[in-house]
Coordinates of all heavy atoms in Angstrom, one line a residue:
M1 N 120.6 107.9 33.7 CA 120.4 106.5 34.1 C 121.2 106.3 35.4 O 120.6 105.6 36.3 CB 120.8 105.5 33.0 CG 120.5 104.1 33.4 SD 118.8 103.8 33.3 CE 118.7 102.2 32.9
I2 N 122.4 106.7 35.5 CA 123.2 106.6 36.7 C 122.6 107.4 37.9 O 122.6 106.9 39.0 CB 124.7 107.0 36.4 CG1 125.2 106.0 35.5 CG2 125.4 107.0 37.7 CD1 126.7 106.2 35.1
A3 N 122.1 108.5 37.6 CA 121.4 109.3 38.6 C 120.2 108.6 39.2 O 119.9 108.7 40.4 CB 121.0 110.7 38.1
L4 N 119.5 107.9 38.4 CA 118.3 107.2 38.8 C 118.7 106.0 39.7 O 118.1 105.8 40.8 CB 117.5 106.6 37.6 CG 116.3 105.8 37.9 CD1 115.2 106.6 38.6 CD2 115.7 105.2 36.6
I5 N 119.8 105.3 39.3 CA 120.3 104.2 40.2 C 120.8 104.7 41.5 O 120.5 104.1 42.5 CB 121.4 103.4 39.4 CG1 120.7 102.7 38.2 CG2 122.0 102.4 40.3 CD1 121.7 102.0 37.3
D6 N 121.5 105.9 41.4 CA 122.0 106.5 42.7 C 120.8 106.9 43.6 O 120.9 106.7 44.8 CB 122.9 107.7 42.4 CG 124.3 107.3 41.8 OD1 124.6 106.1 42.0 OD2 124.9 108.1 41.2
G7 N 119.8 107.4 43.0 CA 118.6 107.8 43.8 C 117.9 106.6 44.4 O 117.5 106.7 45.6
L8 N 117.8 105.5 43.7 CA 117.3 104.3 44.2 C 118.1 103.7 45.3 O 117.6 103.2 46.3 CB 117.1 103.3 43.1 CG 116.0 103.5 42.1 CD1 116.0 102.5 41.0 CD2 114.6 103.6 42.7
K9 N 119.4 103.8 45.2 CA 120.3 103.3 46.3 C 120.1 104.1 47.5 O 120.1 103.6 48.6 CB 121.8 103.4 45.8 CG 122.2 102.4 44.8 CD 123.7 102.5 44.5 CE 124.1 101.6 43.4 NZ 125.5 101.8 43.0
I10 N 120.0 105.5 47.4 CA 119.9 106.3 48.5 C 118.5 106.1 49.2 O 118.4 106.0 50.4 CB 120.0 107.8 48.1 CG1 121.4 108.1 47.7 CG2 119.5 108.8 49.2 CD1 121.6 109.5 47.1
G11 N 117.5 105.9 48.4 CA 116.1 105.6 48.9 C 116.1 104.3 49.6 O 115.5 104.1 50.7
A12 N 116.8 103.3 49.0 CA 116.8 101.9 49.6 C 117.6 102.0 50.9 O 117.2 101.4 51.9 CB 117.4 100.9 48.7
G13 N 118.7 102.8 51.0 CA 119.5 102.9 52.2 C 118.7 103.6 53.3 O 118.7 103.2 54.4
A14 N 117.9 104.6 52.9 CA 117.1 105.3 53.9 C 116.0 104.4 54.4 O 115.7 104.4 55.7 CB 116.4 106.5 53.2
V15 N 115.4 103.6 53.6 CA 114.3 102.7 54.0 C 114.9 101.6 54.9 O 114.4 101.3 56.0 CB 113.6 102.0 52.8 CG1 112.7 100.9 53.3 CG2 112.8 103.0 52.1
L16 N 116.1 101.1 54.5 CA 116.8 100.1 55.3 C 117.2 100.6 56.7 O 117.0 100.0 57.7 CB 118.0 99.5 54.6 CG 118.7 98.4 55.3 CD1 117.8 97.2 55.5 CD2 119.9 97.9 54.5
G17 N 117.7 101.9 56.7 CA 118.1 102.5 57.9 C 116.9 102.8 58.8 O 117.0 102.6 60.0
G18 N 115.8 103.1 58.2 CA 114.5 103.3 59.0 C 114.1 102.0 59.7 O 113.6 101.9 60.8
V19 N 114.2 100.9 58.9 CA 113.8 99.6 59.4 C 114.7 99.2 60.6 O 114.3 98.6 61.6 CB 113.8 98.5 58.3 CG1 113.7 97.1 58.8 CG2 112.7 98.8 57.3
V20 N 116.0 99.4 60.4 CA 117.0 99.1 61.5 C 116.7 99.9 62.7 O 116.7 99.4 63.8 CB 118.4 99.3 61.0 CG1 119.4 99.2 62.2 CG2 118.8 98.3 59.9
V21 N 116.4 101.2 62.6 CA 116.1 102.0 63.8 C 114.8 101.6 64.4 O 114.7 101.5 65.6 CB 116.0 103.5 63.4 CG1 115.4 104.4 64.5 CG2 117.4 104.0 63.0
Y22 N 113.8 101.3 63.6 CA 112.5 100.8 64.1 C 112.7 99.5 64.9 O 112.1 99.3 66.0 CB 111.5 100.6 63.0 CG 110.2 100.1 63.4 CD1 109.3 100.9 64.0 CD2 109.8 98.8 63.2 CE1 108.0 100.4 64.5 CE2 108.6 98.3 63.7 CZ 107.7 99.1 64.3 OH 106.5 98.6 64.7
A23 N 113.5 98.6 64.3 CA 113.7 97.3 65.0 C 114.5 97.5 66.3 O 114.2 96.8 67.3 CB 114.5 96.4 64.1
Y24 N 115.4 98.4 66.3 CA 116.2 98.7 67.6 C 115.2 99.2 68.7 O 115.3 98.8 69.8 CB 117.3 99.7 67.3 CG 118.0 100.1 68.6 CD1 119.0 99.3 69.1 CD2 117.8 101.3 69.2 CE1 119.7 99.6 70.3 CE2 118.4 101.7 70.3 CZ 119.4 100.8 70.9 OH 120.0 101.2 72.0
V25 N 114.4 100.2 68.3 CA 113.5 100.8 69.3 C 112.5 99.7 69.8 O 112.3 99.6 71.0 CB 112.7 101.9 68.6 CG1 111.6 102.4 69.5 CG2 113.7 103.1 68.3
Q26 N 112.0 98.9 68.9 CA 111.1 97.8 69.4 C 111.8 96.8 70.2 O 111.2 96.3 71.2 CB 110.5 97.1 68.1 CG 109.5 98.0 67.4 CD 108.3 98.4 68.1 OE1 107.8 97.6 68.9 NE2 107.8 99.6 68.0
A27 N 113.0 96.5 69.9 CA 113.7 95.4 70.7 C 114.3 95.8 72.0 O 114.3 95.1 72.9 CB 114.8 94.8 69.8
F28 N 114.8 97.1 72.1 CA 115.5 97.5 73.3 C 114.8 98.6 74.1 O 114.7 98.6 75.3 CB 116.9 97.9 72.9 CG 117.7 96.7 72.3 CD1 118.0 96.7 71.0 CD2 118.1 95.7 73.1 CE1 118.7 95.6 70.4 CE2 118.8 94.6 72.6 CZ 119.1 94.6 71.2
T29 N 114.4 99.7 73.4 CA 114.0 100.9 74.1 C 112.6 100.7 74.7 O 112.4 101.0 75.9 CB 114.0 102.1 73.2 OG1 115.2 102.2 72.6 CG2 113.6 103.3 73.9
L30 N 111.6 100.1 74.0 CA 110.3 100.0 74.5 C 110.1 99.0 75.6 O 109.4 99.3 76.6 CB 109.3 99.7 73.3 CG 109.1 100.8 72.3 CD1 108.1 100.3 71.2 CD2 108.5 102.0 73.0
P31 N 110.8 97.9 75.6 CA 110.6 97.0 76.7 C 111.2 97.6 78.0 O 110.6 97.4 79.1 CB 111.4 95.7 76.3 CG 111.4 95.7 74.8 CD 111.4 97.2 74.4
A32 N 112.3 98.3 77.9 CA 112.9 99.0 79.1 C 111.9 100.0 79.6 O 111.7 100.1 80.8 CB 114.2 99.6 78.7
A33 N 111.3 100.8 78.7 CA 110.3 101.8 79.1 C 109.1 101.1 79.8 O 108.5 101.6 80.8 CB 109.9 102.6 78.0
R34 N 108.6 100.0 79.2 CA 107.5 99.3 79.8 C 107.8 98.8 81.2 O 107.0 98.9 82.1 CB 107.1 98.1 78.9 CG 106.4 98.5 77.7 CD 105.8 97.3 77.0 NE 105.3 97.7 75.7 CZ 105.9 97.3 74.5 NH1 106.9 96.5 74.5 NH2 105.3 97.7 73.4
L35 N 109.0 98.2 81.4 CA 109.4 97.8 82.7 C 109.5 98.9 83.7 O 109.1 98.8 84.9 CB 110.7 97.0 82.6 CG 110.7 95.7 82.0 CD1 112.1 95.1 81.8 CD2 109.8 94.7 82.7
E36 N 110.1 100.0 83.3 CA 110.2 101.2 84.1 C 108.8 101.7 84.5 O 108.5 102.0 85.7 CB 110.9 102.3 83.4 CG 111.1 103.5 84.3 CD 111.9 104.6 83.5 OE1 112.6 104.3 82.6 OE2 111.7 105.8 83.9
G37 N 107.9 101.7 83.6 CA 106.5 102.2 83.9 C 105.8 101.2 84.8 O 105.1 101.6 85.7
R38 N 106.0 99.9 84.6 CA 105.4 98.9 85.5 C 106.0 99.0 86.9 O 105.2 99.0 87.9 CB 105.7 97.5 84.9 CG 104.9 96.4 85.7 CD 105.1 95.1 85.0 NE 104.6 95.1 83.7 CZ 105.3 94.6 82.6 NH1 106.5 94.2 82.8 NH2 104.7 94.6 81.4
D39 N 107.3 99.2 87.0 CA 107.9 99.4 88.3 C 107.4 100.6 89.0 O 107.1 100.6 90.2 CB 109.4 99.5 88.2 CG 110.1 98.1 87.8 OD1 109.4 97.1 87.9 OD2 111.2 98.2 87.4
R40 N 107.2 101.7 88.3 CA 106.7 102.9 88.9 C 105.2 102.7 89.3 O 104.9 103.2 90.4 CB 106.7 104.1 87.8 CG 106.3 105.4 88.4 CD 106.4 106.6 87.4 NE 107.7 106.7 86.8 CZ 107.9 106.8 85.5 NH1 106.8 106.8 84.7 NH2 109.1 106.9 85.0
L41 N 104.4 102.0 88.6 CA 103.1 101.8 88.9 C 103.0 100.9 90.2 O 102.2 101.2 91.1 CB 102.3 101.0 87.8 CG 100.9 100.6 88.1 CD1 100.0 101.9 88.3 CD2 100.3 99.8 87.0
V42 N 103.8 99.9 90.3 CA 103.9 99.1 91.5 C 104.3 99.9 92.7 O 103.7 99.7 93.8 CB 104.8 97.9 91.3 CG1 105.1 97.2 92.6 CG2 104.3 96.9 90.3
A43 N 105.2 100.8 92.6 CA 105.7 101.6 93.7 C 104.5 102.6 94.1 O 104.3 102.7 95.3 CB 106.9 102.4 93.3
E44 N 103.8 103.2 93.2 CA 102.7 104.1 93.5 C 101.6 103.3 94.2 O 101.0 103.8 95.2 CB 102.2 104.7 92.2 CG 103.1 105.8 91.6 CD 102.7 106.3 90.3 OE1 101.6 105.8 89.8 OE2 103.4 107.1 89.7
Q45 N 101.3 102.1 93.7 CA 100.3 101.3 94.4 C 100.7 100.9 95.8 O 99.9 100.9 96.7 CB 100.0 100.0 93.6 CG 99.3 100.3 92.3 CD 99.1 99.0 91.4 OE1 99.8 98.1 91.6 NE2 98.2 99.1 90.5
A46 N 102.0 100.6 96.0 CA 102.5 100.3 97.4 C 102.3 101.5 98.3 O 101.9 101.3 99.5 CB 103.9 99.8 97.3
V47 N 102.6 102.7 97.8 CA 102.5 103.9 98.7 C 101.0 104.1 99.0 O 100.6 104.4 100.1 CB 103.1 105.1 97.9 CG1 102.7 106.4 98.6 CG2 104.6 105.0 97.9
Q48 N 100.1 104.0 98.0 CA 98.7 104.2 98.2 C 98.1 103.1 99.2 O 97.3 103.5 100.1 CB 97.9 104.1 96.9 CG 96.5 104.3 97.0 CD 96.2 105.7 97.4 OE1 96.9 106.7 97.2 NE2 95.0 105.9 98.1
T49 N 98.6 101.9 99.1 CA 98.1 100.8 100.0 C 98.6 101.1 101.4 O 97.8 101.0 102.4 CB 98.7 99.5 99.5 OG1 98.2 99.2 98.2 CG2 98.3 98.4 100.5
Q50 N 99.8 101.6 101.6 CA 100.3 102.0 102.9 C 99.5 103.1 103.5 O 99.1 103.1 104.7 CB 101.7 102.3 102.9 CG 102.4 102.5 104.2 CD 103.9 102.8 104.1 OE1 104.4 103.1 103.1 NE2 104.6 102.6 105.2
K51 N 99.1 104.1 102.7 CA 98.3 105.2 103.2 C 96.9 104.8 103.6 O 96.4 105.2 104.7 CB 98.2 106.3 102.1 CG 99.4 107.1 101.9 CD 99.1 108.2 100.8 CE 100.4 109.0 100.5 NZ 100.1 110.0 99.4
E52 N 96.3 103.9 102.8 CA 95.0 103.4 103.1 C 95.0 102.5 104.4 O 94.1 102.6 105.2 CB 94.5 102.6 102.0 CG 94.1 103.4 100.8 CD 93.8 102.6 99.5 OE1 93.8 101.3 99.6 OE2 93.4 103.2 98.5
E53 N 96.1 101.8 104.6 CA 96.2 101.0 105.8 C 96.3 101.8 107.0 O 95.7 101.6 108.1 CB 97.4 100.0 105.7 CG 97.6 99.1 106.8 CD 98.7 98.1 106.7 OE1 99.3 98.0 105.6 OE2 99.1 97.5 107.7
L54 N 97.1 102.9 106.9 CA 97.2 103.8 108.1 C 95.9 104.5 108.4 O 95.5 104.7 109.6 CB 98.3 104.9 107.8 CG 99.7 104.4 107.8 CD1 100.7 105.5 107.4 CD2 100.1 103.9 109.2
E55 N 95.1 104.8 107.4 CA 93.8 105.4 107.6 C 92.9 104.4 108.3 O 92.1 104.8 109.2 CB 93.2 105.9 106.2 CG 93.8 107.1 105.7 CD 93.2 107.5 104.3 OE1 92.1 107.1 104.0 OE2 93.9 108.2 103.6
R56 N 92.9 103.2 107.8 CA 92.1 102.1 108.4 C 92.4 101.9 109.9 O 91.6 101.8 110.7 CB 92.2 100.8 107.7 CG 91.3 100.7 106.5 CD 91.2 99.3 106.0 NE 92.5 98.7 105.7 CZ 93.2 98.7 104.6 NH1 92.7 99.4 103.6 NH2 94.4 98.2 104.4
K57 N 93.7 101.9 110.2 CA 94.1 101.8 111.6 C 93.6 102.9 112.4 O 93.2 102.7 113.6 CB 95.7 101.7 111.7 CG 96.2 100.3 111.2 CD 97.7 100.2 111.3 CE 98.2 98.9 110.8 NZ 99.7 98.8 110.9
G58 N 93.7 104.1 111.9 CA 93.2 105.3 112.6 C 91.7 105.2 112.8 O 91.2 105.5 113.9
D59 N 91.0 104.8 111.8 CA 89.5 104.6 111.9 C 89.2 103.5 112.9 O 88.3 103.6 113.7 CB 88.9 104.3 110.5 CG 88.9 105.4 109.6 OD1 89.1 106.6 110.0 OD2 88.7 105.2 108.4
D60 N 89.9 102.4 112.9 CA 89.7 101.3 113.8 C 89.9 101.7 115.2 O 89.1 101.4 116.1 CB 90.6 100.1 113.5 CG 90.2 99.4 112.2 OD1 89.1 99.6 111.7 OD2 91.0 98.6 111.7
A61 N 90.9 102.5 115.5 CA 91.2 103.0 116.8 C 90.1 103.9 117.3 O 89.6 103.8 118.4 CB 92.6 103.7 116.9
K62 N 89.6 104.7 116.4 CA 88.5 105.7 116.8 C 87.3 104.9 117.1 O 86.6 105.2 118.1 CB 88.2 106.6 115.6 CG 87.1 107.6 115.8 CD 86.8 108.4 114.6 CE 85.6 109.2 114.8 NZ 85.2 109.9 113.6
L63 N 87.0 103.9 116.3 CA 85.7 103.1 116.5 C 85.8 102.3 117.8 O 84.8 102.1 118.5 CB 85.5 102.1 115.3 CG 85.1 102.8 114.0 CD1 85.0 101.8 112.9 CD2 83.8 103.5 114.2
Q64 N 87.0 101.8 118.1 CA 87.2 101.0 119.4 C 87.0 101.9 120.6 O 86.6 101.4 121.7 CB 88.5 100.3 119.4 CG 88.6 99.2 118.4 CD 90.0 98.6 118.4 OE1 91.0 99.1 119.0 NE2 90.2 97.6 117.5
R65 N 87.2 103.2 120.5 CA 87.1 104.1 121.6 C 85.6 104.5 121.8 O 85.2 105.0 122.8 CB 87.9 105.3 121.5 CG 89.4 105.1 121.7 CD 90.2 106.4 121.7 NE 90.0 107.2 120.6 CZ 90.8 107.3 119.5 NH1 91.8 106.5 119.4 NH2 90.5 108.1 118.5
M66 N 84.8 104.3 120.8 CA 83.4 104.8 120.8 C 82.5 103.7 121.6 O 82.7 102.5 121.5 CB 82.8 104.9 119.4 CG 83.5 106.1 118.7 SD 82.9 106.2 117.0 CE 81.3 106.9 117.2
S67 N 81.5 104.3 122.3 CA 80.6 103.4 123.0 C 79.6 102.8 122.0 O 79.5 103.3 120.9 CB 79.9 104.1 124.2 OG 79.0 105.1 123.6
D68 N 78.8 101.9 122.5 CA 77.8 101.3 121.6 C 76.7 102.4 121.2 O 76.3 102.4 120.1 CB 77.0 100.2 122.3 CG 77.9 98.9 122.5 OD1 78.9 98.8 121.8 OD2 77.6 98.1 123.4
F69 N 76.4 103.2 122.2 CA 75.5 104.3 121.9 C 76.0 105.3 120.8 O 75.3 105.6 119.9 CB 75.2 105.1 123.2 CG 74.3 106.3 123.0 CD1 72.9 106.2 122.8 CD2 74.8 107.6 123.0 CE1 72.1 107.3 122.5 CE2 74.0 108.7 122.7 CZ 72.7 108.5 122.5
D70 N 77.3 105.6 121.0 CA 77.9 106.5 120.0 C 78.0 105.9 118.6 O 77.8 106.6 117.6 CB 79.4 106.9 120.5 CG 79.4 107.8 121.7 OD1 78.4 108.5 122.0 OD2 80.4 107.7 122.5
L71 N 78.3 104.6 118.5 CA 78.3 103.9 117.3 C 76.9 103.9 116.6 O 76.7 104.2 115.4 CB 78.8 102.5 117.4 CG 80.2 102.3 117.6 CD1 80.5 100.9 118.0 CD2 81.0 102.7 116.4
C72 N 75.9 103.7 117.4 CA 74.5 103.7 116.9 C 74.1 105.0 116.4 O 73.6 105.1 115.3 CB 73.5 103.2 118.1 SG 71.8 103.1 117.6
V73 N 74.4 106.1 117.1 CA 74.1 107.4 116.7 C 74.9 107.8 115.4 O 74.3 108.4 114.5 CB 74.3 108.5 117.8 CG1 74.2 109.9 117.3 CG2 73.4 108.2 119.0
A74 N 76.1 107.4 115.4 CA 77.0 107.7 114.2 C 76.4 107.1 112.9 O 76.5 107.7 111.9 CB 78.4 107.3 114.4
Y75 N 75.9 105.9 113.0 CA 75.5 105.2 111.8 C 74.0 105.3 111.5 O 73.6 105.2 110.4 CB 75.9 103.7 111.9 CG 77.4 103.6 111.7 CD1 78.2 103.3 112.8 CD2 78.0 103.7 110.5 CE1 79.6 103.2 112.7 CE2 79.4 103.6 110.3 CZ 80.2 103.4 111.4 OH 81.5 103.3 111.3
L76 N 73.2 105.4 112.6 CA 71.7 105.5 112.3 C 71.1 106.8 112.6 O 70.0 107.1 112.2 CB 71.0 104.5 113.3 CG 71.4 103.0 113.0 CD1 70.7 102.1 114.1 CD2 71.0 102.5 111.6
G77 N 71.9 107.7 113.3 CA 71.3 109.0 113.7 C 70.6 108.8 115.0 O 70.7 107.8 115.7
R78 N 70.0 109.9 115.5 CA 69.3 109.8 116.8 C 68.0 109.2 116.6 O 66.9 109.8 116.4 CB 69.2 111.2 117.3 CG 70.5 111.9 117.7 CD 70.4 112.6 119.0 NE 71.7 113.1 119.3 CZ 72.4 112.7 120.3 NH1 72.0 111.7 121.1 NH2 73.6 113.2 120.6
V79 N 68.0 107.9 116.7 CA 66.7 107.1 116.7 C 66.4 106.5 118.1 O 67.3 106.3 118.9 CB 66.8 106.0 115.6 CG1 66.9 106.6 114.2 CG2 68.0 105.0 115.9
P80 N 65.2 106.2 118.3 CA 64.8 105.7 119.7 C 65.6 104.4 120.0 O 65.8 104.2 121.2 CB 63.3 105.5 119.6 CG 62.9 106.4 118.5 CD 64.0 106.5 117.5
E81 N 65.9 103.6 119.0 CA 66.5 102.3 119.3 C 67.9 102.5 120.0 O 68.4 101.7 120.7 CB 66.7 101.5 118.1 CG 65.4 101.0 117.5 CD 64.6 102.0 116.7 OE1 65.2 103.1 116.4 OE2 63.5 101.7 116.3
C82 N 68.6 103.7 119.7 CA 69.9 103.9 120.3 C 69.8 104.2 121.8 O 70.7 104.0 122.5 CB 70.6 105.1 119.6 SG 71.0 104.7 117.9
G83 N 68.6 104.6 122.2 CA 68.4 104.9 123.7 C 68.6 103.7 124.5 O 69.0 103.8 125.7
S84 N 68.4 102.5 124.0 CA 68.5 101.3 124.8 C 70.0 101.0 125.0 O 70.3 100.1 125.9 CB 67.8 100.1 124.1 OG 68.5 99.8 122.9
L85 N 70.9 101.6 124.3 CA 72.3 101.3 124.5 C 73.0 102.3 125.4 O 74.2 102.1 125.7 CB 73.0 101.4 123.1 CG 72.5 100.4 122.0 CD1 73.1 100.8 120.7 CD2 72.8 99.0 122.5
V86 N 72.3 103.2 126.0 CA 72.9 104.1 127.0 C 73.3 103.4 128.2 O 72.5 102.6 128.8 CB 72.0 105.3 127.3 CG1 72.5 106.2 128.4 CG2 71.7 106.1 126.0
V87 N 74.5 103.6 128.7 CA 74.9 102.9 129.9 C 74.7 103.8 131.0 O 75.2 105.0 131.1 CB 76.4 102.6 129.8 CG1 76.9 101.9 131.1 CG2 76.7 101.7 128.6
L88 N 73.9 103.4 132.0 CA 73.5 104.2 133.1 C 74.6 103.9 134.2 O 75.0 102.8 134.4 CB 72.1 103.8 133.7 CG 71.0 104.1 132.7 CD1 69.7 103.5 133.3 CD2 70.9 105.5 132.4
P89 N 74.9 105.0 134.9 CA 75.9 104.8 136.0 C 75.4 104.0 137.1 O 74.2 104.0 137.4 CB 76.3 106.2 136.5 CG 75.1 107.1 136.0 CD 74.5 106.4 134.8
V90 N 76.2 103.2 137.7 CA 75.8 102.4 138.9 C 75.9 103.2 140.2 O 77.0 103.8 140.4 CB 76.7 101.1 138.9 CG1 76.3 100.2 140.1 CG2 76.6 100.3 137.6
R91 N 74.8 103.1 141.0 CA 74.9 103.9 142.3 C 75.5 103.0 143.3 O 75.2 101.8 143.4 CB 73.5 104.3 142.7 CG 73.0 105.4 142.0 CD 71.9 106.0 142.8 NE 70.6 105.9 142.0 CZ 69.4 106.1 142.6 NH1 69.3 106.3 143.9 NH2 68.3 106.0 141.9
E92 N 76.3 103.6 144.1 CA 76.9 102.8 145.2 C 76.2 103.3 146.5 O 76.0 104.4 146.7 CB 78.4 103.2 145.4 CG 79.2 102.7 144.2 CD 80.7 103.0 144.4 OE1 81.1 103.2 145.6 OE2 81.4 103.0 143.4
E93 N 75.8 102.3 147.3 CA 75.1 102.6 148.5 C 75.8 102.2 149.7 O 76.6 101.5 149.8 CB 73.7 101.9 148.5 CG 72.8 102.4 147.4 CD 71.5 101.8 147.5 OE1 71.0 101.5 148.6 OE2 70.9 101.7 146.5

């Protein structure tokens, strides 16, 4: 009978210890991990945004250097309508 009571005490202690550990993990460890993960995600998004902005600036600079004819050919291909955008040189007399 005493062995049974001792076994129940040990089992109850193990269950109570498990509950305490579970509560600690839920209360302290997981929120910190979530915050760390969120901070990491924000940092990765900031780096990606900066890379995309640099790419856009490079594309914008390239497009600004292109003539109307070059833009037409780049987006539509060699169609007759692009021919009207060719800038003819002015002759000096």
Side-chain angles (χ1 to χ4, degrees):
M1 184 73 151
I2 293 181
L4 179 63
I5 293 174
D6 288 340
L8 289 175
K9 286 180 184 177
I10 291 173
V15 169
L16 184 60
V19 169
V20 169
V21 168
Y22 178 78
Y24 174 80
V25 167
Q26 291 295 323
F28 298 107
T29 306
L30 289 180
R34 285 188 190 115
L35 287 176
E36 181 182 336
R38 187 175 298 128
D39 290 344
R40 185 179 307 132
L41 178 63
V42 168
E44 289 172 358
Q45 288 175 341
V47 168
Q48 184 64 28
T49 301
Q50 188 176 17
K51 285 181 183 178
E52 290 172 357
E53 185 177 344
L54 288 173
E55 286 178 20
R56 275 194 307 273
K57 286 181 180 179
D59 290 344
D60 289 346
K62 177 183 172 189
L63 291 174
Q64 288 175 358
R65 288 191 305 266
M66 293 175 75
S67 68
D68 292 339
F69 175 77
D70 293 333
L71 287 171
C72 182
V73 170
Y75 288 103
L76 298 177
R78 293 222 176 251
V79 294
E81 290 82 9
C82 292
S84 65
L85 299 172
V86 174
V87 178
L88 298 174
V90 178
R91 282 200 244 164
E92 293 182 22
E93 294 186 32

